[in-house]
Each structure stands twice: as structure tokens, then as C-alpha cells.
């Protein structure tokens, strides 16, 4: 096999990139050299295809169209006007505004390049040559015949005549709209005397005149260009003849223009609401114009439909514009030269293309031999081939996009860099280097993809493949688990029992089969070709559907009772429900009844067990109290007798242990009652007062312990619903627990704070011993933080605190953070 060794393949890769790079560099240099010669000519403004040339010929066309439409249409062969004096005056004014006529009335057409032109409107002709219109036709000429452009002339970079249209009206206005290079985009001509008339300028620069006597339309806001108009009292009188709101007074001008002070307006409006409008038609009929007659001092209402405009055609206008023979000859010579340069470039590029083909052949051999291991004598993956396969695909797409962008923007790159590098073709160097880099990236990506294909590892080495393998692996585990579960019971047996016992499913299958059979029968008998009975088929289908829905809803109504039974069970009602054996809900109801019985028996058993446990603890505690009381009494009597010091020490120890046992029995008794939620009588108390009371009552014990207790009560009051005696015991246990287990020399913090719905009482201390237990463990019964049991305590203090807090309707939590031990009592506030 060619290129068996990896080193030879690396050398071949470098040679392929070098050959393709040489081809790319030289081709880019040839193209850039060609484009430089083209640009050297395009920089001249006096040649065809330049921007100025295109602008000049289009500008000449705009002038000839305006002259033909406005001037030639309204003059005879002797250049005498054929219109009224008023219209003649408007024509001259418009032509002067367009810079197409001087003050004396002579046409002034700009033609710096000496174009030959011919323009006509009807039988009126304007030309600067003795040639006929046919003689001016050429591939380089603008031909505008009867209002239509025939083709795009040669020698122009762009061709834009713009929209050119005009219309006349029944009230003396002729309007010309002519986008282009003229000083104005539109002009308005009037066949009436416009002296002293109101006017405004539209968006295209045309001056529009109007009368306010109802003979001409006024602008929608007829006051927008007349800032000095003042409010006319007759505006108010105008509403007497139109429908309007009698409670309002309307102004024809905005407030800041009406010239009235607020107090004067209020007096004039006689206490009515004042509203400003820009056009009176806004508050009357919207399809009407309103005009105020100065003579009669009355308002006139005129329909907008009275004023008509008529779009006119340009079919009587013909325009030819031809460049000079010198320009045409120079352009044809340039085209010949350009063709020769391009042909010469192709001849120069042919040997280079052979070099590029040689590089491509080497690349093809690389794709055939890539991945081969001479020692193992097979194709194997290397380290780059184990990267996600999607990455080489992205590189190939990016390289292709880069080549396209470089070829498309090569001219712009060369033009930009030519301004800074005049002696060196830096644009060619950058473009050639980028093309070579894109080729190298694409070839390397193809090599790794080819290697994966040979090894059959494209899917395995792709991110998508790995994700699918990962998903499939866990799906197989899931399927295996489901299969094991299904193997415990025969699927066929389940289906048979379902059909036998589940009346609802059986009815559903039978009903569906009957409906499908009925539809099939009707389709066979009602839709035979060639005389199908569509109406009968549709009617029969509707009947089948209605019957099907009726029986379905009847079964569904019985199934709804099952849903109600489930809801009742969720609410704690486990009473059984009886339904007929033929009901579709019979099987499900029986199953629910069995579940209800099981739950009820389990609950009763649990309640009985809990009651027995509580009774046992209560009885044991009570039975222990009687002998314990006798022991304590005899210890008191014994302490009063004369005895040796050693005997007195023994009596003292017995007294201490009996007191501890008495406290433990009392705690067990209280814990049993708290767990059973008996003997709880909650009332409204203030947690702030209770906390202060507990700290005050324990002041002596706190002083004896040598610990310092800091309080931070942020709320003035905290009304809660709880039993004061039990909550007092909770706080007492927490503070007592902190006094027992706190590190010497540290402080104990008691905090109380309210939020929107709860009050939180926290007791914090730093433990003297390492706390190797969880918050859940420390609140269990007989669990102590001091594993060595060197301190007093029976392990019931926190358990009692938790039980009493929950009995009062609160929440008890323990937080352990390092050596910081925090006990929180959270109780709901009473909403006032």
C-alpha cells in the first residue's frame, strides 16, 4: 500500500498543502493584477461605468421627463402656451423650482457630457441633434418609449429612473411626482389664482394651496402650518348642525395655540369640559370636510367624495438618450482590453491549475492510505481520531464557508489593503494564506473522518453516538427491570382476567367493535361506485356516533362514582360502597372496598398500639411514683438521724439519685401525654412575656452555672395560641440544656423575632463536646449529647421540647453548624 508509514503521510500532507497553496497564491495574484487594471480605469470620472457617468445620464433623463410632462404637454410647436394664464404661471414657477427654466422663460437643461437626446410629448419634440429617434437607438442608449423602458443600457453601474407619475383633479390641481435627481421630488400646478391662498408643503416638497369655502380640500389638520391663527368663536356654533357631545366644548386648535388664559376659557365654556382637537372632522362625520365661510360666518359641510383625482398616463412621452461616439468607442476598446487581460490570465493560470491538481491527487492518496498501521497491518485510530466526530464536520463546513467568503470578498480585501500597501500585494498574500489554511483544515478533517470510516468508528467516536449509547444502555436496564417484573405474572393471564372481570373494558371493546362494523357495512352499501349515497352515509354515521356517545357517557357516569369514592377515601371516609354486579364499576369498587378495609384495619391497629404504648408508659410512670415517693420520704427521715460522715455521704448520694429518678419518671409521664396530644388546652399568650418570664425564673440557676445568657428580643409582642405551661417547659428545657452542655467561658444567646406569619424563638450555644450526631438523632428519646454521661440529664429534654412544641401547633428544629448548637421554636402568630 502506498504511504504505509505515518511519517510519509505527514510529508505527503505538507506537500499537498504546499502545491495547493502555490496554486492559490498565484491565481489570486493574477486576479488581483487584472483587477488593478480595471480599477485604474474605473477611477476616472470621464468614462463609462463610472459613478458620475451613471448619475449624469440619469439626471438628464429626469430633466427630459419633467420638461416633456410639464412644458411640452402645455405648449404648441411655436412654444406658445396652450393653457390658461394661471396654469401658465404655475408651469413657469414649477420649471424654475426644478431649475429647468430661467427667469426669461428659456429652458435650461444640464448636459455636461454632450449626450444626444430626443424627447417628445405628443407631436411636441425637444432635441439637441439632427438625428431622428431611430438613429439614437443603440445598446448604450436609454430608450423610454410610450412611458416604458425597454432594456438596461450598457456602460452603466446602476439604472434608476425612480417612480414618475402624475394626476389631475376636478378642482384645478395637477400633481407631478418624480423621484430622482431634481431639486424637488414633486411639484403642484394650479389652474386657478393662488394669490393669498392658504398653503402647506407636503412630504415630497410640493406646495399645496387650498380654499376654505368648500371648493377645494383642506389638509386633515388645516392649522398645522399656521401658528398665528387664533380661536374663532364660530367654531362652537358649527356644532349646532352636527352630532356632538353637548357636555363638551371643542377647540379647533391645540391648547397652547388658542391664545386664551385658563380662567378666560373656563368662563367662556360655562363650566363644561374643554377638549382640544386638531381637525373639526375628528368630532363630527369623518367622511366630511368642514369649511368656515368668512362672509356668512357659517360652517359648510362638504363630502370628501366631492373631490376627485384622476391618474394620468405617460404613454405620450418618448425619450432617447445616447452617449457620444467617443465614449462608446473608448468603452468598447476597454471591453476588448479586458477580455484580452482575462484570456491572458487564463493562459497564465493553466500551469498553476496542474500544480493544484497534483496536490489534490496527493490528497486523494492520503485519504486512501490514512489510518494504516504498518506494524499491526491494519487501520487503527490515532489520538486525533478519537475527538468527537462532529468537530471535523464543523471544520469542513467552516473551511468551505471561509473559501466562499474569501472568493466573494477578494476584491474588497485587495481594495482596502491597497491604500496602505502600494508596493506589495498584501491582499493577495492574505487571501492566498487564508485559502491555503482553509484547504489544510478541510483536508485534515477529511483524513480523520476517512480513518474512522475504515475502522467503523464514526458512530462510536461522535458525541451523538456516545449519547445514544449511554441512553440505550440505561434503556436496556429499564427494559430488563420491566421484563423481570412482567415475568412474575403472565401477561396473557392478566389480559384474560381483565377481559373477564373488567366489565367497563369489555363493554368498551364490544361497543367499539359494533360501531366500527356498522360503519363498514354502511360504507359497503352506501358508497358503491358509480352512485354513492353520501347523504345516507353521513346520516347513518351521525346516528352511530350519537348512540356510541350515549352508551359511553352512561358507563362514564358509573365510573364517576369510583372517582368520588377515591376522593372520599382521601378525605378519611373509608366506608364501603355498594354497586350492582353488572355495573362497569363493580370490579374497581370491590378493589377500593378491599383497600378501604385494609386501611381502616391498619389505622385501628396503629391507634390501638399507640394507645397501649401510652397507657404502658403512663401506668409504669404512675407505679414507679408510689415506691419512689416512699424511698424519698425515708431518705428524708434517715437524714435527720445521727450517723457517721461516711454514712451521711451515702445518704446524700441516694437522695440525689432518687431525685433524678423522680425527674425522669415525671418527664416520661409528660412525654407520654404530649405524644398522645391529650391534656392540651391552648390559649392566647404572648411569647415575648413568656420568654422573659422563663429567663427571669431561671436567673438563680444561670448565676450558679457561671454562664452568661444574652437576650435579643426584637419584637414588642408576639401573640400566639399555645398552652403556657407546656411552652414554659420547652423554653426551660432548652436553656437548661444549654447550661449543661455549653463550653466554659462562652455565652448563650436567646433570640426572638417575628416575620409576617410566625414568631421564632432561638437558643444558641457552643458545645463543650464534639457533636457527632445529627439533628434527628439528638431529638430521639434517651439520646444525650454527652456520650460519656458525665453530666446530669436523662436524654428526654429535647424530646419533650419537640413533643410539647408540636402539641402547641408549632415546629421544633435543631441546627448544628460546627460547634454551634441552635434550637428553634417556630410558632404561628395570631392574625388580628
Amino acid at each position: 500500500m502506498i504511504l504505509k508509514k505515518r511519517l510519509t503521510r505527514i510529508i505527503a500532507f505538507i506537500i499537498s498543502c504546499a502545491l495547493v497553496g502555490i496554486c492559490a497564491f498565484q491565481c489570486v495574484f493574477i486576479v488581483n493584477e487584472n483587477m488593478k487594471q480595471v480599477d485604474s480605469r474605473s477611477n476616472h470620472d470621464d468614462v463609462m461605468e463610472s459613478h458620475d457617468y451613471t448619475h449624469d445620464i440619469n439626471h438628464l433623463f429626469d430633466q427630459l421627463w419633467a420638461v416633456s410632462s410639464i412644458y411640452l404637454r402645455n405648449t404648441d410647436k411655436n412654444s406658445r402656451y396652450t393653457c390658461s394664464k394661471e396654469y401658465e404661471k404655475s408651469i413657469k414657477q414649477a420649471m424654475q423650482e426644478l431649475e429647468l427654466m430661467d427667469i426669461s422663460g428659456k429652458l435650461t437643461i444640464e448636459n455636461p457630457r454632450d449626450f444626444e437626446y430626443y424627447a417628445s410629448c405628443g407631436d411636441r419634440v425637444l432635441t439637441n441633434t439632427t438625428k431622428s429617434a431611430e438613429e439614437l437607438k443603440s445598446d448604450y442608449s436609454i430608450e423610454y418609449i410610450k412611458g416604458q423602458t425597454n432594456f438596461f443600457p450598457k456602460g452603466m453601474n446602476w439604472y434608476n429612473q425612480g417612480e414618475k407619475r402624475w394626476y389631475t383633479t376636478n378642482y384645478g390641481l395637477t400633481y407631478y411626482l418624480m423621484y430622482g435627481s431634481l431639486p424637488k421630488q414633486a411639484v403642484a400646478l394650479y389652474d386657478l389664482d393662488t394669490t393669498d391662498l392658504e398653503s402647506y408643503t407636503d412630504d415630497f416638497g410640493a406646495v399645496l394651496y387650498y380654499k376654505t369655502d368648500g371648493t377645494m380640500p383642506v389638509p386633515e389638520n388645516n392649522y398645522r402650518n399656521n401658528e398665528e391663527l387664533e380661536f374663532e368663536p364660530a367654531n362652537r356654533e358649527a356644532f349646532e348642525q352636527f352630532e356632538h357631545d353637548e357636555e363638551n366644548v371643542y377647540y379647533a386648535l391645540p391648547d397652547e395655540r388658542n391664545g386664551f388664559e385658563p380662567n378666560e376659557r373656563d368662563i367662556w365654556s360655562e363650566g363644561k369640559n374643554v377638549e382640544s382637537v386638531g381637525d373639526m372632522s375628528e368630532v363630527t362625520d369623518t367622511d366630511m370636510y368642514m369649511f368656515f365661510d368668512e362672509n356668512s360666518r357659517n360652517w359648510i359641510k362638504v363630502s370628501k367624495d366631492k373631490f376627485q383625482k384622476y391618474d394620468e398616463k405617460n404613454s405620450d412621452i418618448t425619450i432617447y438618450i445616447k452617449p457620444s461616439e467617443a465614449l462608446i468607442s473608448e468603452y468598447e476598446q476597454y471591453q476588448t482590453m479586458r477580455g484580452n487581460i482575462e484570456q491572458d490570465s487564463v493562459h497564465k493560470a493553466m500551469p498553476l491549475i496542474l500544480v493544484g491538481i497534483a496536490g489534490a491527487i496527493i490528497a486523494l492518496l492520503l485519504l486512501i492510505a490514512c489510518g494504516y498501521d504498518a506494524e499491526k497491518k491494519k487501520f487503527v485510530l490515532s489520538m486525533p481520531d478519537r475527538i468527537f466526530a462532529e468537530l471535523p464536520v464543523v471544520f469542513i463546513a467552516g473551511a468551505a464557508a471561509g473559501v466562499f467568503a474569501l472568493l466573494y470578498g477578494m476584491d474588497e480585501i485587495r481594495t482596502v489593503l491597497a491604500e496602505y500597501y502600494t508596493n506589495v500585494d498584501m491582499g493577495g498574500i492574505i487571501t492566498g494564506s487564508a485559502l491555503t489554511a482553509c484547504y489544510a483544515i478541510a483536508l485534515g478533517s477529511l483524513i480523520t473522518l476517512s480513518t474512522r470510516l475504515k475502522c467503523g468508528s464514526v458512530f462510536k467516536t461522535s458525541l451523538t453516538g456516545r449519547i445514544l449509547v449511554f441512553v440505550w444502555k440505561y434503556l436496556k436496564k429499564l427494559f430488563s427491570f420491566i421484563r423481570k417484573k412482567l415475568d412474575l405474572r403472565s401477561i396473557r393471564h392478566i389480559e384474560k382476567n381483565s377481559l373477564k372481570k373488567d366489565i367497563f373494558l369489555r363493554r368498551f371493546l364490544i361497543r367499539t367493535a359494533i360501531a366500527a362494523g356498522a360503519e363498514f357495512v354502511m360504507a359497503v352499501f352506501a358508497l358503491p361506485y358509480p352512485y354513492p349515497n353520501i347523504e345516507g352515509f353521513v346520516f347513518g354515521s351521525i346516528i352511530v356516533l350519537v348512540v356510541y356517545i350515549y352508551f359511553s357517557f352512561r358507563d362514564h357516569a358509573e365510573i364517576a362514582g369510583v372517582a368520588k369514592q377515591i376522593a372520599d377515601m382521601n378525605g378519611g371516609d373509608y366506608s364501603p360502597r355498594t354497586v350492582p354486579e353488572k355495573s362497569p364499576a363493580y370490579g374497581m369498587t370491590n378493589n377500593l372496598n378491599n383497600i378501604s378495609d385494609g386501611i381502616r384495619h391498619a389505622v385501628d391497629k396503629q391507634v390501638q398500639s399507640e394507645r397501649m404504648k401510652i397507657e404502658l408508659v403512663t401506668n409504669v410512670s404512675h407505679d414507679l411514683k408510689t415506691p419512689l415517693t416512699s424511698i424519698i420520704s425515708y431518705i428524708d427521715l434517715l437524714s435527720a438521724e445521727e450517723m457517721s460522715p461516711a454514712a451521711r455521704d451515702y445518704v446524700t448520694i441516694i437522695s440525689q439519685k432518687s431525685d433524678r429518678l423522680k425527674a425522669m419518671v415525671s418527664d416520661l409521664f409528660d412525654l407520654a401525654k404530649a405524644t398522645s396530644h391529650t391534656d392540651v388546652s391552648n390559649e392566647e399568650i404572648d411569647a415575648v412575656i413568656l420568654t422573659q418570664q422563663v429567663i427571669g425564673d431561671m436567673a438563680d440557676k444561670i448565676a450558679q452555672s457561671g454562664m452568661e445568657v444574652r437576650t435579643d428580643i426584637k419584637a414588642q409582642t408576639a401573640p400566639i395560641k399555645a398552652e403556657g405551661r407546656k411552652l414554659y417547659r420547652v423554653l426551660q428545657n432548652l436553656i437548661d440544656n444549654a447550661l449543661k452542655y455549653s463550653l466554659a467561658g462562652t455565652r448563650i444567646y436567646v433570640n426572638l423575632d417575628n416575620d409576617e406569619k410566625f414568631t421564632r424563638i432561638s437558643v444558641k450555644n457552643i458545645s463543650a463536646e464534639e457533636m457527632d450526631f445529627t439533628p434527628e438523632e439528638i431529638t430521639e428519646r434517651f439520646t444525650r449529647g454527652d456520650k460519656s454521661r458525665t453530666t446530669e440529664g436523662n436524654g428526654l429534654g429535647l424530646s419533650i421540647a419537640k413533643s410539647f412544641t408540636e402539641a402547641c401547633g408549632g415546629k421544633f428544629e435543631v441546627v448544628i453548624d460546627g460547634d454551634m448548637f441552635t434550637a428553634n421554636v417556630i410558632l404561628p402568630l395570631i392574625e388580628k
Side-chain angles (χ1 to χ4, degrees), residues 805-816:
T805 302
E806 293 173 352
C808 293
K811 179 182 178 183
F812 183 84
E813 63 181 15
V814 172
V815 179
I816 299 175

Side-chain angles (χ1 to χ4, degrees), residues 293-331:
D293 187 1
E294 295 289 346
N295 296 324
S296 63
R297 304 296 293 175
N298 290 321
W299 285 84
I300 303 172
K301 183 178 183 182
V302 179
S303 173
K304 292 182 181 180
D305 295 338
K306 173 183 177 181
F307 307 113
Q308 302 291 331
K309 68 176 183 179
Y310 313 97
D311 291 330
E312 303 291 351
K313 305 295 184 182
N314 295 320
S315 57
D316 58 347
I317 297 177
T318 299
I319 298 174
Y320 290 92
I321 302 176
K322 182 181 180 182
S324 64
E325 294 297 334
L327 287 174
I328 296 175
S329 175
E330 188 275 337
Y331 182 73

Side-chain angles (χ1 to χ4, degrees), residues 156-449:
M156 297 178 64
N157 277 327
W158 47 270
Y159 186 46
N160 180 24
Q161 295 178 358
E163 183 182 10
K164 303 188 186 314
R165 58 186 179 86
W166 62 293
Y167 64 85
T168 58
T169 65
N170 62 347
Y171 49 89
L173 166 67
T174 302
Y175 191 91
Y176 291 90
L177 178 63
M178 40 196 170
Y179 290 109
S181 60
L182 297 178
K184 300 183 67 174
Q185 295 182 356
V187 291
L189 281 65
Y190 286 88
D191 194 11
L192 52 91
D193 186 12
T194 59
T195 306
D196 298 330
L197 290 184
E198 299 287 347
S199 66
Y200 68 95
T201 304
D202 68 2
D203 295 334
F204 303 106
V207 179
L208 299 179
Y209 295 92
Y210 61 91
K211 298 180 180 180
T212 57
D213 59 356
T215 59
M216 295 178 69
V218 296
E220 290 299 324
N221 187 354
N222 54 344
Y223 295 109
R224 64 178 179 178
N225 290 324
N226 195 341
E227 300 284 345
E228 298 179 357
L229 275 177
E230 293 187 354
F231 176 80
E232 292 286 352
N235 286 348
R236 185 183 183 189
E237 301 172 3
F239 288 99
E240 295 177 359
Q241 53 183 315
F242 305 120
E243 295 181 2
H244 63 281
D245 187 355
E246 297 290 348
E247 299 299 325
N248 294 328
V249 174
Y250 296 91
Y251 287 85
L253 295 177
D255 293 344
E256 62 270 15
R257 302 180 185 176
N258 54 35
F260 281 88
E261 296 296 331
N263 54 354
E264 296 177 351
R265 182 188 307 160
D266 294 340
I267 295 173
W268 181 85
S269 62
E270 299 176 356
K272 296 182 178 181
N273 298 325
V274 179
E275 184 175 341
S276 171
V277 296
D279 182 5
M280 299 302 285
S281 62
E282 294 180 11
V283 291
T284 60
D285 299 320
T286 57
D287 60 344
M288 294 290 179
Y289 285 112
M290 293 180 59
F291 303 94
F292 183 72
D293 187 1
E294 295 289 346
N295 296 324
S296 63
R297 304 296 293 175
N298 290 321
W299 285 84
I300 303 172
K301 183 178 183 182
V302 179
S303 173
K304 292 182 181 180
D305 295 338
K306 173 183 177 181
F307 307 113
Q308 302 291 331
K309 68 176 183 179
Y310 313 97
D311 291 330
E312 303 291 351
K313 305 295 184 182
N314 295 320
S315 57
D316 58 347
I317 297 177
T318 299
I319 298 174
Y320 290 92
I321 302 176
K322 182 181 180 182
S324 64
E325 294 297 334
L327 287 174
I328 296 175
S329 175
E330 188 275 337
Y331 182 73
E332 290 178 345
Q333 291 177 6
Y334 160 70
Q335 292 292 340
T336 302
M337 178 193 70
R338 184 169 182 174
N340 293 334
I341 292 174
E342 292 176 352
Q343 186 176 7
D344 181 61
S345 300
V346 172
H347 289 308
K348 291 180 180 179
M350 287 303 296
L352 300 173
I353 293 176
L354 296 176
V355 175
I357 292 174
I361 292 173
I362 295 174
L364 181 60
L365 294 175
L366 275 172
L367 293 177
I368 295 173
C370 62
Y372 186 78
D373 192 325
E375 296 180 359
K376 298 180 180 179
K377 295 183 179 181
K378 64 178 182 179
F379 294 99
V380 295
L381 297 176
S382 60
M383 185 183 68
D385 302 326
R386 301 184 186 279
I387 302 173
F388 292 141
E390 288 85 356
L391 197 59
V393 175
V394 172
F395 284 161
I396 292 172
V403 170
F404 177 79
L406 288 168
L407 295 178
Y408 183 79
M410 185 169 59
D411 187 32
E412 287 76 7
I413 297 173
R414 178 190 54 78
T415 304
V416 171
L417 294 178
E419 299 178 2
Y420 303 97
Y421 302 95
T422 57
N423 299 325
V424 180
D425 187 3
M426 187 58 67
I429 295 174
I430 293 177
T431 305
S433 301
L435 289 173
T436 305
C438 289
Y439 172 79
I441 293 172
L443 179 58
S445 301
L446 286 172
I447 287 173
T448 182
L449 289 178

